[in-house]
Amino acid sequence: MPRVTIHRKAHFNAAHRLYKKEWSDEKNLEIFGKCSNPNYHGHNYELVVSVTGEVDKETGFVMDLAILRKLIRSEIEDAFDHKNLNLEVDEFKDTNPTAENISIVIYNKLRKKIIENLDLSIKLYETPRNFVTYSGE
Amino acid sequence: MPRVTIHRKAHFNAAHRLYKKEWSDEKNLEIFGKCSNPNYHGHNYELVVSVTGEVDKETGFVMDLAILRKLIRSEIEDAFDHKNLNLEVDEFKDTNPTAENISIVIYNKLRKKIIENLDLSIKLYETPRNFVTYSGE
Amino acid sequence: MPRVTIHRKAHFNAAHRLYKKEWSDEKNLEIFGKCSNPNYHGHNYELVVSVTGEVDKETGFVMDLAILRKLIRSEIEDAFDHKNLNLEVDEFKDTNPTAENISIVIYNKLRKKIIENLDLSIKLYETPRNFVTYSGE
Amino acid sequence: MPRVTIHRKAHFNAAHRLYKKEWSDEKNLEIFGKCSNPNYHGHNYELVVSVTGEVDKETGFVMDLAILRKLIRSEIEDAFDHKNLNLEVDEFKDTNPTAENISIVIYNKLRKKIIENLDLSIKLYETPRNFVTYSGE
Amino acid sequence: MPRVTIHRKAHFNAAHRLYKKEWSDEKNLEIFGKCSNPNYHGHNYELVVSVTGEVDKETGFVMDLAILRKLIRSEIEDAFDHKNLNLEVDEFKDTNPTAENISIVIYNKLRKKIIENLDLSIKLYETPRNFVTYSGE
Amino acid sequence: MPRVTIHRKAHFNAAHRLYKKEWSDEKNLEIFGKCSNPNYHGHNYELVVSVTGEVDKETGFVMDLAILRKLIRSEIEDAFDHKNLNLEVDEFKDTNPTAENISIVIYNKLRKKIIENLDLSIKLYETPRNFVTYSGE
């Protein structure tokens, strides 16, 4: 059977700051620039979740998009939307919420919920000009 | 010679419904939701055709984009644009026109017309939030 | 108080055809071209609803966007999404579902639900290249 | 001389929360929903500044875009980008940073810097689906 | 009858430079910056043509979009696309091809071809961040 | 450590023409069509630079985006923006500035400046409908 990738776009808004607890304010400012602002700043994160697998002969689907959409809502949007990532999302208590690390967290959360024979990939836009991709490698 | 991928974006509008003839209306509704509406619904399909190969030393082209553009027009746009995919496109007489299956049909139609040493890949947006990719694997 | 316009983007997919019952198939084809295909075609309609009024001193809102979003969902998206506009939407039983007429129908439906001291305007994209605006004039 | 409008797009990221100091947390939650999160959330604000006036016969310009670009940078981007609007921007110390109020603040800041015979208008995207316009009326 | 605006998006690529013949190279550089490069630079111009009028009761159209599309092609795209505006387009022989002036030229060319009871407006993107609008005022 | 790709979008405007010095004007016109116009035409080139590598445990970065942004500015934007690629950019003195060849030149210029254990990939939009990708293969 042919292998196709389906992509679903989603969205969440959140506040964050980039910093490392162990470092002084000066060092954080030096490394992370204005992204280390202790009062936080924020983004409209645009998320694309991609799932690759064989097309089911009966349905013509790789995976039911309605199920994928609900999964993204419950696992990611409900957990991250209108939140302060540093203060309110457990995964970033000790992890710097860079776009790289957010994409890894999203991958790991969804990976547990999608059956193993389907491949998973994450694209995350922090701004329209800055974005990351992660495929679990 | 370096290998580059060229991408060309195209567009067609069409009506379709998702359903399986052998199933009852109830089962089709259960599996395909409102996409199984017997009166059809429709989309602005955005298509990206990607062709990979060595850059020709004379022209600096992988493939003449004017030729690719005409090929997409004659093979895909003329065949699908302003059509009812279920009723008027032969390839979907017995195949459910999911985005997955439409991308496979487009790939197969173009694959025959593009010389073998060039790789081909299809990206098809059913909506700005739902899209698929297929590379013949 | 300053007058500001708030805009909310929404989305629905639908099938339609352009034709006039009183005309022959030949005349419909002549006037409406491939848009008159009796088997229908379809679009991803992108809708922008704009509401203008004074900014409320207490809330800083012209109108609660959550209310506007729900209004668009119940009045427009639920009524039009995944529908055949000609066959399943009463307002187009005797009205040709051109983008112009769809925007007038949307305006009239929402106008009844939004208080009179707020101005209303509709922008409707039939495709990314073809769109209309209507403000009740 | 013909009157033309020139538009310049800009961008800033910021954190904010919607709330009214005089109200209880319960009332703020009721009115502003998850936007009232005391830990803040954030957005990529996209800004379009529009200036209308007669085209200068010598230059063919309404206004030198390089000057407008620098004005937006110094007055708006430098003041708002990577900031917490509630805590770090004076204009929102006692004003709820709704999109409506942010657009009014931006208008008022730029209005002082652009000569009077040029009209000014502000469009501000809080998200790709929610945006506002303000023209000083 | 309700008055609706229809919008049609079009596209052309062209080279240009901004300069005034009567000025020295130094003065041109001072006023127009790198846009005055004597070797030219270029843009993908995105054009939106808007036509406002009463909706025809028979067709549901303000104006047949197929006619508008052909008019834009013959009057604008064929005349400007893949051209050097300064050297090859008569209207810019003595007029600086700023976005402002290009929008006025487009307006004037189309105004002659569209019947008087329809209003006309032009939006022209020189880049995704710089654009102009002109309505004949 | 997980491997993530970071992407940074940039922009430059330039004039160019496609032609081969050794060919007659007739042959150039035959092969390159209106792109061979001796007076040049131009584009808004949109560039996406992608860098893949392990996420640094300290910073959560694959590479500091501020450094990548400056590198793109100094190596690509300063060299290409508002230039005539054929006349003013050394790399195209003897190389036809097709999108394919521009992407190879960009790749080669950046490859020298980015440490070897990071992979590099280039996406270049010549127009919104025509674009290329190159990864050094």
Side-chain angles (χ1 to χ4, degrees):
Chain A
M1 289 301 298
R3 285 173 63 80
V4 170
T5 302
I6 62 168
H7 309 266
R8 172 73 192 170
K9 206 170 171 184
H11 179 88
F12 60 92
N13 311 320
H16 80 152
R17 66 172 294 210
L18 301 186
Y19 81 117
K20 208 169 140 64
K21 282 179 201 173
E22 294 77 7
W23 292 351
S24 66
D25 282 1
E26 289 71 23
K27 178 144 192 205
N28 275 309
L29 184 63
E30 184 198 323
I31 301 296
F32 298 116
K34 54 188 177 179
C35 297
S36 72
N37 180 351
N39 289 318
Y40 307 102
H41 64 285
H43 298 290
N44 301 326
Y45 291 93
E46 297 282 339
L47 170 66
V48 180
V49 176
S50 304
V51 175
T52 304
E54 293 192 356
V55 178
D56 182 86
K57 210 157 191 174
E58 294 284 291
T59 59
F61 284 162
V62 167
M63 175 184 177
D64 185 343
L65 258 182
I67 291 174
L68 181 58
R69 196 176 60 229
K70 283 172 199 164
L71 204 55
I72 298 171
R73 183 166 304 158
S74 63
E75 294 297 309
I76 309 303
E77 292 177 324
D78 289 352
F80 292 2
D81 190 39
H82 282 77
K83 294 286 169 60
N84 183 309
L85 298 180
N86 302 77
L87 300 180
E88 297 178 295
V89 178
D90 280 352
E91 286 85 353
F92 302 111
K93 285 277 154 70
D94 298 306
T95 300
N96 199 6
T98 59
E100 288 92 328
N101 282 335
I102 301 173
S103 72
I104 295 170
V105 165
I106 291 173
Y107 179 91
N108 289 339
K109 290 187 78 166
L110 292 178
R111 184 66 280 180
K112 290 176 201 152
K113 303 284 183 174
I114 292 171
I115 52 169
E116 281 178 34
N117 61 336
L118 296 175
D119 292 336
L120 177 65
S121 183
I122 301 300
K123 179 180 273 192
L124 182 71
Y125 288 80
E126 194 174 79
T127 74
R129 303 210 144 202
N130 295 341
F131 52 106
V132 300
T133 38
Y134 180 57
S135 305
E137 284 163 29
Chain B
M1 289 302 296
R3 285 172 63 80
V4 170
T5 302
I6 62 168
H7 309 265
R8 172 72 193 172
K9 206 169 172 186
H11 178 88
F12 59 91
N13 312 319
H16 80 152
R17 65 172 295 209
L18 301 187
Y19 80 117
K20 208 169 139 64
K21 283 179 199 170
E22 296 76 8
W23 291 350
S24 66
D25 282 0
E26 288 73 21
K27 178 140 192 210
N28 275 308
L29 184 62
E30 184 198 322
I31 301 296
F32 298 116
K34 55 189 177 178
C35 296
S36 72
N37 180 350
N39 289 318
Y40 307 102
H41 64 285
H43 298 290
N44 300 326
Y45 291 93
E46 296 284 339
L47 170 66
V48 180
V49 176
S50 303
V51 175
T52 303
E54 293 191 358
V55 178
D56 182 86
K57 211 160 189 173
E58 292 284 291
T59 60
F61 285 162
V62 167
M63 175 184 177
D64 186 343
L65 258 182
I67 292 174
L68 181 58
R69 195 176 61 229
K70 283 172 199 163
L71 204 54
I72 297 171
R73 182 167 303 158
S74 64
E75 294 298 309
I76 310 301
E77 291 177 326
D78 288 353
F80 292 2
D81 190 38
H82 282 78
K83 294 286 169 61
N84 183 307
L85 298 180
N86 303 77
L87 299 179
E88 297 177 295
V89 178
D90 280 354
E91 286 85 352
F92 301 112
K93 285 277 155 68
D94 298 305
T95 300
N96 199 7
T98 59
E100 289 92 328
N101 282 335
I102 300 172
S103 71
I104 295 170
V105 165
I106 291 172
Y107 178 92
N108 290 339
K109 291 187 78 166
L110 292 177
R111 184 66 280 181
K112 291 175 201 153
K113 304 283 183 174
I114 292 171
I115 53 168
E116 281 178 34
N117 61 336
L118 296 175
D119 292 336
L120 177 64
S121 183
I122 301 299
K123 179 181 272 193
L124 182 72
Y125 289 80
E126 194 173 80
T127 74
R129 304 208 143 203
N130 296 340
F131 52 107
V132 300
T133 37
Y134 179 59
S135 306
E137 285 162 30
Chain C
M1 289 301 297
R3 286 172 62 79
V4 170
T5 302
I6 62 168
H7 309 265
R8 172 74 192 171
K9 207 169 172 187
H11 179 88
F12 59 90
N13 312 320
H16 80 152
R17 66 172 294 211
L18 301 185
Y19 81 117
K20 207 170 141 61
K21 282 180 198 170
E22 295 77 8
W23 292 350
S24 66
D25 281 1
E26 288 72 22
K27 178 143 192 207
N28 275 307
L29 184 63
E30 184 198 324
I31 301 297
F32 297 116
K34 55 189 178 179
C35 296
S36 72
N37 179 351
N39 289 317
Y40 307 101
H41 64 285
H43 298 290
N44 300 326
Y45 291 93
E46 296 283 338
L47 170 66
V48 180
V49 176
S50 304
V51 175
T52 303
E54 292 192 357
V55 178
D56 182 86
K57 211 158 189 173
E58 292 285 291
T59 59
F61 284 162
V62 166
M63 175 185 176
D64 185 343
L65 257 182
I67 292 174
L68 181 58
R69 196 176 60 229
K70 282 172 199 163
L71 205 56
I72 298 170
R73 183 166 302 158
S74 64
E75 293 299 309
I76 310 302
E77 291 176 326
D78 288 353
F80 292 2
D81 190 39
H82 282 78
K83 293 288 168 61
N84 183 309
L85 298 180
N86 303 77
L87 299 179
E88 298 177 294
V89 178
D90 280 353
E91 287 85 353
F92 301 111
K93 284 277 155 68
D94 297 307
T95 300
N96 199 5
T98 58
E100 288 91 328
N101 282 334
I102 301 173
S103 72
I104 294 171
V105 165
I106 291 173
Y107 178 91
N108 290 339
K109 291 188 78 167
L110 292 178
R111 185 65 281 181
K112 291 176 200 152
K113 304 283 182 175
I114 291 173
I115 52 168
E116 280 178 35
N117 61 337
L118 296 175
D119 291 336
L120 176 65
S121 183
I122 300 299
K123 180 181 271 193
L124 182 71
Y125 288 80
E126 194 174 80
T127 74
R129 303 210 142 202
N130 296 340
F131 52 107
V132 301
T133 38
Y134 180 58
S135 306
E137 285 163 28
Chain D
M1 290 300 297
R3 286 173 63 79
V4 170
T5 303
I6 62 167
H7 310 266
R8 173 71 192 171
K9 207 171 172 184
H11 179 88
F12 60 91
N13 312 320
H16 80 153
R17 65 172 295 209
L18 301 185
Y19 80 118
K20 208 169 141 61
K21 283 180 198 171
E22 296 77 7
W23 292 350
S24 65
D25 281 2
E26 289 72 22
K27 179 144 191 206
N28 276 309
L29 184 62
E30 184 198 323
I31 301 295
F32 297 117
K34 54 189 177 181
C35 296
S36 72
N37 181 350
N39 289 317
Y40 307 101
H41 64 286
H43 298 290
N44 300 326
Y45 291 93
E46 296 284 339
L47 171 66
V48 180
V49 176
S50 303
V51 175
T52 304
E54 293 193 358
V55 177
D56 182 86
K57 210 160 189 173
E58 292 285 291
T59 59
F61 284 163
V62 167
M63 175 184 177
D64 185 342
L65 258 183
I67 292 174
L68 181 58
R69 196 177 59 229
K70 282 172 201 164
L71 205 54
I72 298 171
R73 184 167 302 158
S74 63
E75 294 298 310
I76 311 301
E77 291 177 326
D78 288 352
F80 292 2
D81 191 37
H82 283 77
K83 294 287 169 59
N84 183 308
L85 298 180
N86 303 77
L87 299 180
E88 298 177 294
V89 178
D90 280 353
E91 287 84 354
F92 302 111
K93 284 276 155 69
D94 297 306
T95 300
N96 199 7
T98 59
E100 287 92 328
N101 282 335
I102 301 173
S103 72
I104 294 170
V105 165
I106 291 173
Y107 178 91
N108 290 339
K109 291 187 77 167
L110 292 178
R111 183 66 280 180
K112 291 175 202 153
K113 303 283 183 175
I114 292 172
I115 53 170
E116 281 178 33
N117 61 336
L118 296 175
D119 292 336
L120 176 64
S121 182
I122 301 300
K123 180 181 270 192
L124 182 71
Y125 289 81
E126 193 174 80
T127 74
R129 303 211 141 201
N130 296 341
F131 53 107
V132 300
T133 38
Y134 179 58
S135 306
E137 285 163 28
Chain E
M1 289 302 298
R3 285 173 63 80
V4 170
T5 303
I6 63 168
H7 309 266
R8 172 73 193 170
K9 206 171 173 186
H11 179 89
F12 59 91
N13 313 320
H16 79 151
R17 65 171 296 208
L18 301 186
Y19 81 117
K20 207 169 141 62
K21 283 180 199 171
E22 295 77 6
W23 292 350
S24 66
D25 282 1
E26 289 71 24
K27 179 145 192 204
N28 275 308
L29 183 62
E30 184 199 323
I31 302 295
F32 298 117
K34 55 188 177 180
C35 296
S36 71
N37 180 351
N39 290 317
Y40 308 101
H41 64 285
H43 298 289
N44 300 326
Y45 291 94
E46 296 283 338
L47 170 67
V48 179
V49 176
S50 304
V51 175
T52 304
E54 293 193 357
V55 178
D56 182 86
K57 210 159 190 171
E58 292 285 291
T59 59
F61 284 163
V62 166
M63 175 185 177
D64 185 343
L65 258 182
I67 292 174
L68 181 58
R69 195 177 60 229
K70 283 171 199 165
L71 205 54
I72 298 171
R73 183 166 302 158
S74 64
E75 294 297 310
I76 310 302
E77 292 177 325
D78 288 353
F80 292 2
D81 190 38
H82 282 77
K83 294 285 168 61
N84 183 308
L85 298 180
N86 302 77
L87 299 179
E88 298 177 295
V89 178
D90 280 353
E91 287 85 353
F92 302 112
K93 284 276 154 72
D94 298 306
T95 301
N96 200 6
T98 58
E100 288 91 328
N101 282 335
I102 301 172
S103 72
I104 294 170
V105 165
I106 291 173
Y107 178 91
N108 290 339
K109 291 188 78 167
L110 292 177
R111 184 65 281 180
K112 290 176 201 152
K113 303 284 182 175
I114 291 172
I115 53 170
E116 283 178 33
N117 62 335
L118 296 175
D119 292 336
L120 176 65
S121 183
I122 301 299
K123 179 180 270 191
L124 182 71
Y125 289 80
E126 194 174 80
T127 74
R129 302 211 143 202
N130 296 341
F131 52 106
V132 301
T133 39
Y134 179 58
S135 306
E137 284 162 28
Chain F
M1 289 300 297
R3 285 173 63 80
V4 171
T5 302
I6 63 167
H7 309 265
R8 173 71 192 171
K9 207 171 172 183
H11 178 88
F12 60 91
N13 312 321
H16 79 153
R17 65 171 295 208
L18 301 186
Y19 80 117
K20 207 169 141 61
K21 282 179 199 171
E22 295 78 6
W23 292 350
S24 66
D25 281 1
E26 289 72 25
K27 178 142 193 208
N28 275 308
L29 184 63
E30 184 199 323
I31 302 294
F32 298 118
K34 54 188 177 180
C35 296
S36 72
N37 180 350
N39 289 316
Y40 307 102
H41 64 286
H43 298 290
N44 300 327
Y45 291 92
E46 297 282 340
L47 170 66
V48 180
V49 176
S50 304
V51 175
T52 304
E54 293 193 358
V55 178
D56 182 85
K57 210 159 191 172
E58 292 285 292
T59 59
F61 284 162
V62 167
M63 175 184 177
D64 185 343
L65 257 182
I67 292 174
L68 181 58
R69 195 177 60 228
K70 282 171 201 165
L71 204 55
I72 298 171
R73 183 167 303 158
S74 63
E75 294 298 309
I76 310 302
E77 292 176 325
D78 288 352
F80 292 2
D81 190 38
H82 282 76
K83 295 285 170 62
N84 183 309
L85 297 181
N86 302 77
L87 299 179
E88 298 177 294
V89 178
D90 280 353
E91 286 86 351
F92 302 111
K93 285 276 156 69
D94 298 306
T95 301
N96 199 6
T98 59
E100 288 91 329
N101 282 335
I102 301 172
S103 73
I104 294 170
V105 165
I106 291 173
Y107 179 91
N108 290 339
K109 291 188 77 167
L110 293 177
R111 184 64 281 181
K112 290 175 202 153
K113 304 283 182 175
I114 292 171
I115 53 170
E116 281 178 34
N117 60 336
L118 296 175
D119 292 336
L120 176 65
S121 184
I122 300 300
K123 180 181 271 192
L124 182 72
Y125 288 81
E126 194 174 79
T127 74
R129 303 211 142 200
N130 296 341
F131 53 106
V132 301
T133 40
Y134 179 58
S135 307
E137 285 162 29

